[in-house]
Amino acid sequence: MQTPCIDVCSIDPKTGLCTGCGRTLAEIGGWMSFSDDERERLMALLPARLFAKGQDISQATQIMPERRA
């Protein structure tokens, strides 16, 4: 299973994103239950999130929609 984790696990309190991979806690916690398509879609968003780190992250951050049971 593909993962963006680089073993630098620290949540930035300002952005709510992991400083290593750019995911939120909810995205990290749900990673194993996401479909391959959901993981691919999220991984496509991460570079922009990491690039925007330290800038106005609210403009660059797209949170993965909550999964429906």
Side-chain angles (χ1 to χ4, degrees):
M1 172 183 308
Q2 190 175 18
T3 178
C5 183
I6 60 168
D7 294 325
V8 178
C9 304
S10 177
I11 300 298
D12 181 328
K14 180 180 172 186
T15 64
L17 301 175
C18 174
T19 59
C21 69
R23 294 178 292 172
T24 65
L25 279 174
E27 292 164 346
I28 292 168
W31 193 255
M32 298 294 284
S33 64
F34 292 163
S35 70
D36 289 341
D37 288 340
E38 289 171 316
R39 285 191 292 272
E40 276 185 41
R41 190 173 75 231
L42 178 56
M43 286 186 68
L45 300 174
L46 298 179
R49 288 183 183 181
L50 292 172
F51 178 78
K53 202 166 57 176
Q55 299 173 24
D56 183 3
I57 195 78
S58 64
Q59 297 299 314
T61 304
Q62 295 179 9
I63 303 298
M64 181 95 165
E66 294 298 318
R67 295 193 71 217
R68 295 193 177 108

